[in-house]
Amino acid sequence: MADVSGIRRPYHNKNEIFDVKDLVAREPFAQFEAWFEEARKTPGIDEPNAMAIASATRDGCPSVRMVLMKHIDKQGVVFYTNYGSRKAKELVRIEGKVERVPEEESDHYFHERPRASQIGALVSQNQSSVVPSREALDKRNAELQDMYAEESKIIPKPDYWGGYRVVPSVFEFWQGQTNRLHDRLRFRKPSSGEKINPELTQTGDDGWLLERLSP
């Protein structure tokens, strides 16, 4: 097996430190929007809205999958069951509770998608289940394309298809440094009755706290 231990890529240098003074706001949503817009304009980032969702079972077995963010506001981050990837020198990590998007919201978004994507959702019933072959998928896709060939015919949203919203309690903004002294600024919601140490924790806007983390 090839030795990959020496693979290195330069990140930012010591003159490009990301610090509290560089924040566009003292709450995380505006900062997220600023970095997201920068990523959208950066060549080589094909899907700036790609994100990894991590969860765990009750017995502690972790699971991670790539999805695409489709909406963000101060209620949270919404994603659907799409795949994507991202490469950048800045990353955002979000922690929070996940809730199902209301059915009418999912239905509205489903019918805004290209018809081929809507049919693809029907083909992918029981996502991640074992299928006999690629040909079986293509055959089912062709059958559904024939069934809904008329543009006026509405493709029904499957009951199993829908969106989820992450309601954030933590935002971490990470910027890589070549010397590995990475910049990590964290916004978080305080816990009940928490006593704040002003030498370590600053008060942000909208009830958020702001801290710098060790690399």
Side-chain angles (χ1 to χ4, degrees):
M1 183 177 291
D3 180 10
V4 298
S5 62
I7 294 177
R8 296 282 189 280
R9 281 192 175 275
Y11 293 148
H12 294 278
N13 61 51
K14 63 182 181 181
N15 298 319
E16 299 173 299
I17 289 173
F18 176 60
D19 210 347
V20 173
K21 63 179 175 57
D22 302 308
L23 293 167
V24 301
R26 294 182 69 84
E27 55 86 14
F29 290 97
Q31 183 62 43
F32 182 95
E33 182 177 359
W35 272 19
F36 182 74
E37 289 303 316
E38 181 180 341
R40 291 181 67 177
K41 299 172 184 176
T42 301
I45 300 181
D46 298 326
E47 292 179 316
N49 57 329
M51 51 192 279
I53 292 291
S55 60
T57 61
R58 292 184 183 276
D59 56 359
C61 181
S63 178
V64 179
R65 69 178 301 171
M66 299 301 298
V67 299
L68 296 179
M69 179 188 73
K70 290 300 178 181
H71 180 73
I72 184 169
D73 57 27
K74 292 196 174 183
Q75 290 183 314
V77 180
V78 176
F79 62 94
Y80 292 82
T81 54
N82 298 313
Y83 291 97
S85 61
R86 175 190 170 131
K87 51 185 178 179
K89 297 177 183 177
E90 295 84 26
L91 297 171
V92 182
R93 187 176 65 85
I94 299 174
E95 295 180 14
K97 294 182 178 180
V98 176
E99 59 186 30
R100 186 73 182 255
V101 168
E103 188 67 13
E104 56 272 19
E105 186 175 332
S106 290
D107 191 72
H108 176 76
Y109 172 69
F110 180 82
H111 289 106
E112 283 189 335
R113 306 173 83 213
R115 287 180 70 83
S117 298
Q118 295 179 43
I119 289 174
L122 295 179
V123 174
S124 187
Q125 187 175 9
N126 300 321
Q127 189 176 39
S128 298
S129 62
V130 178
V131 295
S133 64
R134 172 70 197 200
E135 288 74 19
L137 292 176
D138 290 337
K139 179 181 178 182
R140 180 57 177 159
N141 188 63
E143 291 172 351
L144 289 168
Q145 286 182 334
D146 289 341
M147 186 181 300
Y148 297 104
E150 296 179 18
E151 290 290 327
S152 60
K153 199 168 186 178
I154 296 175
I155 302 171
K157 183 189 77 63
D159 293 338
Y160 53 79
W161 195 96
Y164 292 86
R165 175 178 286 107
V166 179
V167 182
S169 56
V170 174
F171 277 83
E172 179 188 329
F173 295 89
W174 178 97
Q175 177 177 276
Q177 291 287 342
T178 298
N179 63 4
R180 294 329 190 235
L181 295 180
H182 306 309
D183 295 310
R184 298 175 62 192
L185 298 184
R186 178 176 69 183
F187 287 93
R188 66 178 177 88
K189 290 290 187 179
S191 57
S192 178
E194 179 181 359
K195 293 184 179 179
I196 306 302
N197 181 347
E199 294 184 2
L200 298 175
T201 304
Q202 301 181 37
T203 300
D205 296 335
D206 298 337
W208 290 92
L209 300 177
L210 173 59
E211 298 163 325
R212 172 174 279 275
L213 303 181
S214 173

